[in-house]
Amino acid sequence: MESLKERLLQEQYRLEQILKKTQEQLKNAPEGLLYLSKVKKWTQYYHYFPGKIKQKRYIPKYNINFVRKLAQKSYDEKIIKLAEKRLFQIKKITKDYDDREIENIFLRQSSEKQELIRPIEPTWNQQVQIWLSEKYTGKQFREGEPVIFTDRGERVRSKSEKIIADCFFRKSIPYKYECPLYLKGLGIIYPDFTILSRKTRQEIYWEHHGRMDDPAYAQMTVKKIQAYEENEIFPGERLILTFETRNMVLNSKSIEQLADRYL
């Protein structure tokens, strides 16, 4: 769910660690190279130096550890060559790359010019307005259910849902409450929150399960999560899950952390 630049920077860090580890290993590598010769079903090992392959020296089987070191050296040198090549490419791309650079061309125009231009892609604000303007019918409230309102002024079913919704509102995260979703194998469900992700421009679903100490409720929760997965909506990607029991209440700090990480 990271942006392209974030994924590239993660790959840069991974390659830097690989390069560091491999360079350290090479410090203790023996000189020369390994040459393999197949004779019927047997493999023979030879030690040689570049330019002097005709002077290769046979390595007996009892010295297999030396063979492994030479083989490892050859492998490590190839890893270093590739890692250096990819790091050069990644650093060149990320030096001036911005995930929003196309949008920024439009946003840097004067307001007068913006009124005359039709952007090649909707800006984030335009996309949010279009998405929020889509009409839907949520799940109905039953008589006797608690009356709880969010800071945005909408009714929700629990104090925990209010905590989550108010977090979105503070962070200007666009969301819909109990917007219907069809899942193959389960039918129409009403995710607690449907969020439009600024990072991926995809819809993400946030389900809060507040009665996990109720066996029947927990069983239905597992069934719903399995239905999400069968529809290619996986936790940690386009599905965020939070849980609660009577004795383990929702942690508002963890809500903030999840929102910052995924949304």
Side-chain angles (χ1 to χ4, degrees):
M1 298 172 69
E2 297 88 356
S3 68
L4 175 58
K5 187 167 185 177
E6 287 174 328
R7 292 197 297 269
L8 286 171
L9 290 174
Q10 288 176 2
E11 180 65 3
Q12 177 180 324
Y13 176 77
R14 185 180 77 93
L15 289 171
E16 286 171 344
Q17 297 305 304
I18 288 172
L19 188 61
K20 180 180 178 182
K21 180 179 178 180
T22 311
Q23 288 173 333
E24 191 65 30
Q25 288 178 173
L26 271 180
K27 290 180 180 179
N28 300 317
E31 294 183 359
L33 301 173
L34 178 66
Y35 178 83
L36 275 66
S37 175
K38 293 283 288 185
V39 179
K40 295 183 179 179
K41 295 182 179 180
W42 306 101
T43 302
Q44 295 180 332
Y45 307 111
Y46 294 88
H47 184 204
Y48 76 96
F49 291 85
K52 300 179 181 179
I53 193 167
K54 292 183 179 179
Q55 301 178 19
K56 58 183 182 294
R57 179 174 61 86
Y58 174 73
I59 307 173
K61 291 289 180 68
Y62 65 78
N63 205 359
I64 192 65
N65 285 337
F66 183 66
V67 172
R68 289 196 177 99
K69 289 179 181 179
L70 289 172
Q72 185 68 44
K73 176 186 176 182
S74 175
Y75 170 80
D76 287 346
E77 288 174 339
K78 290 181 174 67
I79 291 293
I80 287 174
K81 185 177 180 180
L82 177 61
E84 289 177 337
K85 177 182 177 181
R86 295 295 180 235
L87 281 170
F88 175 80
Q89 294 170 332
I90 290 173
K91 289 177 180 179
K92 188 175 181 180
I93 293 172
T94 56
K95 184 178 180 181
D96 64 351
Y97 180 82
D98 185 341
D99 289 300
R100 298 175 60 192
E101 55 192 4
I102 289 180
E103 179 179 357
N104 286 338
I105 291 176
F106 176 79
L107 296 177
R108 291 186 185 118
Q109 308 297 311
S110 66
S111 58
E112 293 79 10
K113 276 191 175 181
Q114 287 183 11
E115 292 179 2
L116 302 171
I117 296 169
R118 184 174 66 182
I120 194 69
E121 294 178 332
T123 66
W124 170 246
N125 287 336
Q126 289 171 337
Q127 190 172 351
V128 169
Q129 291 306 313
I130 294 169
W131 185 75
L132 289 175
S133 68
E134 296 170 350
K135 302 295 183 183
Y136 71 92
T137 302
K139 190 163 58 172
Q140 297 298 311
F141 287 89
R142 290 175 295 187
E143 188 176 349
E145 287 189 297
V147 179
I148 301 168
F149 287 92
T150 68
D151 291 345
R152 197 170 77 170
E154 68 200 333
R155 186 179 175 185
V156 292
R157 299 179 189 279
S158 69
K159 291 180 181 179
S160 295
E161 288 183 345
K162 172 177 166 55
I163 291 172
I164 297 169
D166 289 347
C167 173
F168 297 159
F169 187 64
R170 286 194 307 274
K171 294 178 179 292
S172 299
I173 295 170
Y175 73 90
K176 298 175 182 178
Y177 180 68
E178 291 188 343
C179 180
L181 171 69
Y182 175 78
L183 291 182
K184 184 174 61 177
L186 193 61
I188 297 292
I189 66 166
Y190 295 85
D192 294 327
F193 301 96
T194 303
I195 306 110
L196 187 62
S197 168
R198 184 163 191 161
K199 290 184 176 182
T200 65
R201 307 295 172 102
Q202 289 184 301
E203 287 185 335
I204 293 176
Y205 307 100
W206 187 310
E207 292 276 23
H208 178 67
H209 304 99
R211 294 186 287 118
M212 291 304 290
D213 41 2
D214 179 338
Y217 178 92
Q219 187 172 348
M220 285 299 300
T221 296
V222 172
K223 182 179 179 180
K224 186 191 290 187
I225 294 171
Q226 289 175 340
Y228 271 113
E229 293 173 341
E230 289 167 2
N231 284 265
E232 302 294 318
I233 301 172
F234 296 101
E237 294 179 2
R238 291 183 57 213
L239 178 60
I240 300 172
L241 302 169
T242 47
F243 302 93
E244 194 173 8
T245 67
R246 185 175 300 176
N247 296 323
M248 297 290 291
V249 298
L250 184 66
N251 185 332
S252 58
K253 184 178 179 180
S254 69
I255 299 304
E256 299 273 345
Q257 292 171 333
L258 286 168
D260 290 340
R261 179 176 180 85
Y262 292 105
L263 307 179

